[in-house]
Amino acid sequence: MLLTKWLNSLVKTGGLLAALLVATSLPAQDTSRLSLQQAYQLAQHNYPMIRQKGLVRQTAALNIENISKGFLPQLTISGQATYQSTVISVPVDIPTLKIEAPEKDQYKIQAELSQLIYDGGNTSAQKNMQRVQALVEEQKAEVELYKVKERINQLYLGILLIDEQLKQVDLVKKDVQLGIQRVVAQVNNGTAFRSSQLTLEAEQLKNDQRAIELQAQRKGLVDVLALFINRPLPVNVLLEPPVVTQPVAQERIARPELRLFHYQDSLFGVQNQMISARNRPRTSLFVQGGYGRPGLNMLKNEFDWFYIAGVRLNWSLGALYTTKKERTLLEVNQRMVNVQKDMFLLNTHTALQQQQAELDKLNQLIQTDQEIIAIRTQVKEAANAQLANGVITASDFLREVNAEDQARQALIMHQLQYVQAQINYRTLSGNQ
């Protein structure tokens, strides 16, 4: 009953998650065999989050390209026409020299070509910012992709568990069928009642129902797994038993979250560089050329060409007012990330210890299951012989068959749980 509830929950949850998947352009093909590692690779390759990584890289490349163009020559064209109420005049009358006052309507069109020489490291800092931000966003996608492994573990091991359950059903059916054959012979000889035969036949039908239920549950899990890997899987797909190495105590944690924390920490360093770069001066070369009235000679009252060339220095000191607060804010955010990292490591170590305790418990249960099965098998064989001699009834025989079946079911469950605990341990540590 517990097994049925667990599998039904697994199918329902899997259906909800798999509905979020979007099919990619990979060609569909039949897969008659599948390993756990292949399921990992196919599921991660087809998960929608993988496309986000490509978009992040493309966005970062475009932004860096645009930032780099800040060192290209910049051309500015401007023009104006004005009328002013008064103009410069010379209030001195010199008989031999006449200075005409400029016209009140003035016109100018000019172009300026500038070349940035030094920007205080601002361009370099911005490019580094884009690179690190891209790494952070890509690693966030990696964290989400890694979570797919946990889902694949549940589906894959759920199918393997049902396969073992089906094998056990076949064994029980063989035992019951053998009992039916013996009771039929006794009924024909008049040494047993017809009701004993019917009891065994009803039990055999119950086993058939159990097999039908397990097959339906298996099909549901296979269908969900097929959605995750974006490949059609036949109902009778053969899943290879996972090869799991024994977890090593104090195994190094290699989860993608740790790399994400590292990139986030690097991002604060780049942001600090940008604060420093913003407070440095900027220098550039420039040349202006134009045509207008008046030109550079304000006393020449006619249209003329002109140009200016030189070096320009810009230094904005307004950012100095907030620099200290901005650096303090970065330090606070950096400490917050470090706290999150410490919490993640603590939770992961705690989960690993729990999995190790689970492994130790299941190992002991498996040993006990094997001892129980050995005893139950002897009792069943004795009951089989007693049934053949008419010493016990069919109900007594079925009780011993079911007792052995339950013992074997417990062993199967514990063995699969042991494999799952091994895989969970290595998945939690990031080494699966």
Side-chain angles (χ1 to χ4, degrees), residues 25-73:
S25 59
L26 287 179
Q29 62 184 44
D30 290 335
T31 306
S32 59
R33 295 178 65 91
L34 187 67
S35 68
L36 183 58
Q37 292 297 328
Q38 288 174 336
Y40 285 156
Q41 295 172 0
L42 291 172
Q44 289 182 336
H45 184 79
N46 289 281
Y47 201 63
M49 188 63 69
I50 195 70
R51 295 196 293 275
Q52 180 173 325
K53 293 180 63 177
L55 295 175
V56 167
R57 296 191 195 102
Q58 184 178 2
T59 301
L62 292 174
N63 287 335
I64 290 174
E65 184 178 354
N66 286 336
I67 293 171
S68 299
K69 291 180 180 179
F71 271 94
L72 294 178

Side-chain angles (χ1 to χ4, degrees), residues 152-255:
I152 295 300
N153 289 343
Q154 294 177 355
L155 294 171
Y156 196 95
L157 294 174
I159 296 172
L160 288 180
L161 180 59
I162 291 179
D163 289 341
E164 295 300 321
Q165 292 287 328
L166 287 170
K167 291 178 184 178
Q168 180 58 25
V169 169
D170 289 338
L171 292 177
V172 174
K173 290 175 67 176
K174 289 179 181 178
D175 288 336
V176 175
Q177 185 62 37
L178 180 60
I180 291 175
Q181 293 173 358
R182 292 182 175 177
V183 171
V184 168
Q186 294 174 355
V187 171
N188 293 335
N189 293 330
T191 59
F193 293 106
R194 173 73 174 168
S195 59
S196 297
Q197 176 184 345
L198 294 176
T199 299
L200 292 175
E201 290 177 350
E203 185 67 21
Q204 194 72 309
L205 290 175
K206 287 176 60 178
N207 288 323
D208 291 337
Q209 288 182 330
R210 183 179 171 192
I212 293 172
E213 182 180 359
L214 289 173
Q215 289 287 3
Q217 291 174 344
R218 188 184 195 278
K219 183 179 183 302
L221 294 178
V222 169
D223 289 343
V224 175
L225 182 60
L227 287 175
F228 267 92
I229 67 175
N230 193 33
R231 294 241 181 127
L233 294 175
V235 177
N236 59 345
V237 58
L238 178 61
L239 300 186
E240 300 176 5
V243 179
V244 185
T245 58
Q246 185 68 24
V248 181
Q250 303 300 324
E251 194 168 36
R252 184 180 67 88
I253 297 178
R255 290 281 295 271

Side-chain angles (χ1 to χ4, degrees), residues 105-169:
D105 56 324
Q106 299 183 2
Y107 308 92
K108 179 188 296 184
I109 183 170
Q110 67 179 18
E112 178 178 318
L113 184 65
S114 62
Q115 173 62 58
L116 183 63
I117 300 176
Y118 175 70
D119 67 346
N122 187 60
T123 298
S124 177
Q126 288 185 21
K127 290 161 68 173
N128 289 336
M129 172 72 77
Q130 290 297 324
R131 294 189 185 98
V132 178
Q133 282 182 335
L135 291 175
V136 170
E137 293 302 321
E138 282 190 46
Q139 198 60 28
K140 286 182 180 179
E142 283 292 340
V143 170
E144 293 300 319
L145 287 172
Y146 193 80
K147 293 179 181 178
V148 177
K149 283 189 174 183
E150 300 175 2
R151 187 68 189 129
I152 295 300
N153 289 343
Q154 294 177 355
L155 294 171
Y156 196 95
L157 294 174
I159 296 172
L160 288 180
L161 180 59
I162 291 179
D163 289 341
E164 295 300 321
Q165 292 287 328
L166 287 170
K167 291 178 184 178
Q168 180 58 25
V169 169

Side-chain angles (χ1 to χ4, degrees), residues 319-329:
L320 294 174
Y321 297 124
T322 59
T323 296
K324 184 177 179 180
K325 297 294 183 182
E326 289 177 344
R327 294 189 192 278
T328 302
L329 183 61

